[in-house]
Amino acid sequence: MPEREKLVLAYSGGLDTSVAIRWLNERGYDVVALTIDLGEKKDLEAIQRRALRVGAVAAYVVDGKVPFLRDFVWPSLQAGALYEKEYPLATALGRPLIAALLVQIARREGAEGVAHGCTGKGNDQVRFDVTTAALAPELKVVAPVREWGMNRDDEIEYAREHGIEVPATVESPYSTDENLWGRSIEAGILEDPWQEPPGDVYEWTADPRRAPDEPVYVEIGFEEGLPVALDGKPTPAVELVERLNAVGGANGVGRIDHLENRLIGIKSREIYEAPAAVLLLQAHQALEDITLTKDVARFKDMVAAHWAQIVYDGLWFSPLREALHAFVAHTQRHVSGQVRLKLYRGSSTVVGRKAPDQLYRMELATYGRGDQFDQSAAAGFIKLFGMGVRTAAEVQGKLSSLDLDKLLPGDLKRLTP
Ligand code: ARG
């Protein structure tokens, strides 16, 4: 009998990946199931047992929460990354870690390749495939859902025929993904971008109308761009994010409705719940506002946009992402201090910030007494600053296409004493 090839499958316990185990078995593969805990609060032991029942030859559960925050989320927070100015990238940041762990287990198991349950229409397939290529080009990647041509009903029938119990989650009209950095929801009625998301879409965040009618203050302490304390107490990363998700969610903060551009050229409508991500990105930005020089801050904005795009596009493990990180890390040396946020019925507002190395200087900024700014220096500076425009006006005449005559009303009244 020929040796059966072995694949390590990213196993969520859902319908797709359960059917995938059996489908791969039928095509001559032994399947090792790998379930990774990124903070989604599932019964992982039950999922592990389920993998074996469905037909896996071995099943692993790995707690990835600490590396997820330390190695993927924190660098992205320091970068200030929001995809298309809206999406904090929860799913996009989880995939490269899951793929890296698949590779590690594949090596340990002597497997020929890895497998995942992504469809051929999304970004996640790209993230898995490209990460595997970057870390272990010798491994093959098998994506059953991309190959089998079954729809949801076919899968349910396949599961029934093969004695695979159908998980209760198939009842949900939505397709979701979640980890510590956020929850992604798509499909169902959300596919119509004219429809307001119904209330049952949300699980982490309260409806702002029903949130407490009292503001809640949160103080976040940062050390070189990383959050290390909550309300003055040093707090480990996982607990800090969990607590911000809880307090933000309870106050209705962190809902995002994004019409986004997928890498593969499809526009899709996605809802996100990401209270901790929204609060931390906001607080981190507030601290950068007071500690970075103007030109570093402006340049870093461009880096952030580019960072978000390549991470979204599955290029976490790439020379460019590493190079951008080197820049970002260098900018964070003075981004230490405290930020105070006020949460109230769906909004979060920065109401205080301070930093030992802050570049904000009261004695320069003040309009009050104790002013140390030499106002007489301003006139000379502005004369030189405006020299280019003055020269252009003198040499080339009219600089603006605006018709200045139209600015004044025709019936302008001139009063005299
Ligand atoms: N559109 C997001 C991304 O590409 C999230 C996809 C998550 N999947 C889901 N079934 N909601 O990162």
Side-chain angles (χ1 to χ4, degrees):
M1 218 177 90
E3 272 259 338
R4 285 167 72 83
E5 280 196 12
K6 199 190 271 183
L7 297 177
V8 182
L9 168 73
Y11 184 65
S12 69
L15 179 65
D16 289 337
T17 51
S18 296
V19 167
I21 292 179
R22 189 60 60 84
W23 189 87
L24 289 167
N25 286 164
E26 285 181 338
R27 271 147 198 82
Y29 292 107
D30 281 341
V31 177
V32 173
L34 171 60
T35 304
I36 292 144
D37 180 10
L38 297 184
E40 52 273 79
K41 308 236 182 321
K42 288 193 209 160
D43 182 350
L44 299 164
E45 266 86 71
I47 292 175
Q48 199 172 17
R49 286 193 302 272
R50 181 170 157 74
L52 298 176
R53 271 204 310 282
V54 178
V57 295
Y60 292 86
V61 167
V62 173
D63 182 351
K65 295 196 287 293
V66 168
F68 179 51
L69 293 181
R70 182 192 59 212
D71 301 327
F72 295 84
V73 172
W74 280 177
S76 241
L77 171 63
Q78 289 181 312
L82 278 179
Y83 181 63
E84 296 179 340
K85 305 192 189 82
E86 305 214 45
Y87 167 38
L89 295 166
T91 299
L93 289 167
R95 297 316 187 199
L97 172 57
I98 296 172
L101 290 168
L102 285 174
V103 164
Q104 284 304 98
I105 298 290
R107 290 192 166 138
R108 177 182 284 250
E109 287 275 338
E112 277 72 26
V114 301
H116 58 72
C118 304
T119 72
K121 293 181 79 170
N123 300 308
D124 288 331
Q125 53 170 345
V126 183
R127 298 168 184 150
F128 278 112
D129 294 11
V130 172
T131 301
T132 308
L135 301 181
E138 71 282 5
L139 291 179
K140 69 157 98 169
V141 183
V142 181
V145 179
R146 217 160 44 187
E147 292 182 26
W148 65 33
M150 287 191 273
N151 64 27
R152 199 108 187 119
D153 292 336
D154 300 335
E155 284 183 47
I156 292 171
E157 194 175 312
Y158 182 99
R160 298 229 160 97
E161 274 168 18
H162 291 77
I164 300 167
E165 53 197 283
V166 176
T169 48
V170 297
E171 299 301 326
S172 166
Y174 307 116
S175 162
T176 62
D177 179 63
E178 66 181 74
N179 61 43
L180 284 167
W181 204 231
R183 181 166 177 265
S184 312
I185 311 106
E186 62 184 331
I189 195 172
L190 301 173
E191 287 178 354
D192 178 355
W194 182 248
Q195 292 294 329
E196 181 176 353
D200 68 351
V201 161
Y202 302 106
E203 285 185 5
W204 288 14
T205 54
D207 181 339
R209 280 182 314 168
R210 299 207 181 84
D213 192 21
E214 268 301 308
V216 171
Y217 290 85
V218 183
E219 190 187 303
I220 305 173
F222 287 86
E223 209 55 76
E224 301 195 5
L226 298 181
V228 292
L230 260 193
D231 296 328
K233 281 187 229 60
T235 310
V238 174
E239 182 189 335
L240 185 138
V241 169
E242 284 174 342
R243 282 176 50 194
L244 288 175
N245 274 329
V247 68
N251 289 282
V253 174
R255 294 182 171 188
I256 298 159
D257 186 342
H258 188 198
L259 199 302
E260 74 193 33
N261 288 293
R262 288 191 191 158
L263 170 60
I264 53 161
I266 297 175
K267 285 190 189 291
S268 81
R269 198 269 191 101
E270 194 101 20
I271 305 296
Y272 299 104
E273 294 184 279
V278 165
L279 296 174
L280 284 169
L281 284 161
Q282 182 182 31
H284 179 262
Q285 174 72 52
L287 199 56
E288 285 196 335
D289 290 344
I290 204 169
T291 53
L292 297 187
T293 63
K294 175 168 75 176
D295 44 0
V296 169
R298 288 181 181 175
F299 193 83
K300 191 168 175 290
D301 274 348
M302 295 190 288
V303 171
H306 207 85
W307 171 291
Q309 189 190 312
I310 63 174
V311 169
Y312 185 89
D313 288 349
L315 298 173
W316 179 271
F317 292 101
S318 66
L320 179 56
R321 214 274 314 154
E322 295 274 334
L324 295 182
H325 177 63
F327 167 77
V328 168
H330 193 81
T331 63
Q332 299 298 294
R333 289 168 304 148
H334 302 290
V335 186
S336 304
Q338 272 77 42
V339 178
R340 207 148 53 92
L341 300 175
K342 180 180 178 177
L343 319 188
Y344 180 65
R345 293 205 150 171
S347 78
S348 156
T349 315
V350 176
V351 292
R353 55 190 123 190
K354 60 181 177 187
D357 295 344
Q358 68 187 38
L359 301 177
Y360 177 88
R361 290 173 69 175
M362 184 104 77
E363 65 275 23
L364 287 178
T366 184
Y367 289 107
R369 247 179 297 189
D371 181 346
Q372 288 181 16
F373 188 86
D374 177 4
Q375 295 201 32
S376 68
F381 164 75
I382 295 165
K383 196 165 180 186
L384 302 189
F385 175 77
M387 189 72 82
V389 170
R390 172 183 292 275
T391 304
E394 283 169 358
V395 174
Q396 298 172 346
K398 197 166 163 261
L399 288 189
S400 167
S401 55
L402 182 67
D403 184 353
L404 299 183
D405 288 335
K406 290 206 178 116
L407 292 178
L408 289 175
D411 58 350
L412 183 65
K413 293 212 172 49
R414 178 167 183 272
L415 237 76
T416 48

